[in-house]
Amino acid sequence: MAYNLLKGKRGIIFGALDANSIAWKTAERIHEEGGKFVLTNAPIALRMGTISELAEKTNSQIIPADATSMMDLENLVDKAVEILGGKIDFVLHSIGMSVNVRRGNPYTHQDYNFTKTGWDVSALSFHRTMSVLYNKDAVSEWGSIVGLTYMAAQRVFPDYNDMADNKAYLESVARSFGYFFGRDKKVRVNTVSQSPTPTTAGSGVKGFDGFLAYADKMSPLGNATALECADYIVTLFSDLTKKVTLQNLFHDGGFSNMGVSTAIMEDFMKNNAPEETVAEKVKKERKK
Ligand code: NAI
């Protein structure tokens, strides 16, 4: 259902690769809500992905930009303002990539050149993007900027590898830049910490199927889907959330506040039930 929440708003959407991408679903929902935008991705992803389908469907133009290149980002922002006919109201940063994960290097055996590249693409790119937008004064008052993250920034998920550190940096940049953007331009900056989601980036993580199933069983509301994430981002781009800023917002069915769920405990006990329960032991002791 559409509510016209973004009627007349202009934006930039990074990271739609294919129909599974969180950015793809978000672009579709923003279009339904009356927002207009330009789509952007790294030149190589534009060749590999199917973004032109999305552009056609949503009546939007594609501007290639490698999010690690200041020149590309400057060109992107200038063109976006020109094409959309005014300052930008919303920006979605939906970019993630770890070369160590791709190459199968465990966290304890990183290639630090890969670490640097992954950090530049996944984390510093958020700072670069905001810096270009801020210095060009390209965002309207009460605009909204959202980056996507995962809770490995706070808790240990061993196979998330160096992406955990990249996400911690990304979340910190949201707060630090968000302060200046709020104070000087009345623009809000938040990160959305999403459930594991079956996308190209997500499924690159070792043991992703287990990850997905475990989180789903742990969360009282189950995992949040990419479409549900898109809905949430729409609210953050709308005028209904004007004073929400500097936040890391969990969109994960409740996972982040769980210790254990009955479903996970039942599964665990199937393989780990002791021959005698603690309650039985205590009873026996009492009888003595
Ligand atoms: P995806 O693979 O569809 O999107 C990742 C995007 O990053 C792709 O479009 C890719 O082309 C783009 N990208 C990579 N290098 C780039 C560069 N140098 N310049 C510009 N763009 C570049 O996967 P997904 O899952 O939609 O990822 C979107 C965001 O959501 C990422 O930040 C990811 O870490 C985050 N996230 C994903 C979760 C998941 O389980 N899929 C869970 C929580 C957060």
Side-chain angles (χ1 to χ4, degrees), residues 15 17 21-22 41 45 66-67 94-95 121 149 167 194-197 199 201:
L17 179 68
S21 301
I22 297 169
N41 211 323
D66 179 337
S94 186
I95 300 173
V121 170
T149 186
K167 290 307 191 191
Q194 163 69 4
S195 295
T197 313
T199 61

Side-chain angles (χ1 to χ4, degrees), residues 149 190-194 232 236 244 247-252:
T149 186
N190 295 289
T191 46
V192 169
S193 187
Q194 163 69 4
Y232 189 41
L236 294 172
V244 180
Q247 302 300 314
N248 180 41
L249 303 160
F250 289 102
H251 182 255
D252 63 358

Side-chain angles (χ1 to χ4, degrees), residues 224-285:
T225 64
L227 182 58
E228 286 161 343
C229 188
D231 284 338
Y232 189 41
I233 294 167
V234 164
T235 68
L236 294 172
F237 287 162
S238 81
D239 290 336
L240 302 178
T241 52
K242 277 164 91 171
K243 290 284 172 81
V244 180
T245 195
L246 313 185
Q247 302 300 314
N248 180 41
L249 303 160
F250 289 102
H251 182 255
D252 63 358
F255 179 85
S256 44
N257 266 345
M258 289 299 295
V260 74
S261 68
T262 46
I264 291 286
M265 191 50 97
E266 275 163 20
D267 269 10
F268 177 77
M269 291 307 279
K270 272 182 206 154
N271 294 320
N272 295 284
E275 280 170 21
E276 189 178 35
T277 66
V278 174
E280 283 163 353
K281 264 189 204 152
V282 170
K283 227 178 187 178
K284 242 192 220 166
E285 288 294 320

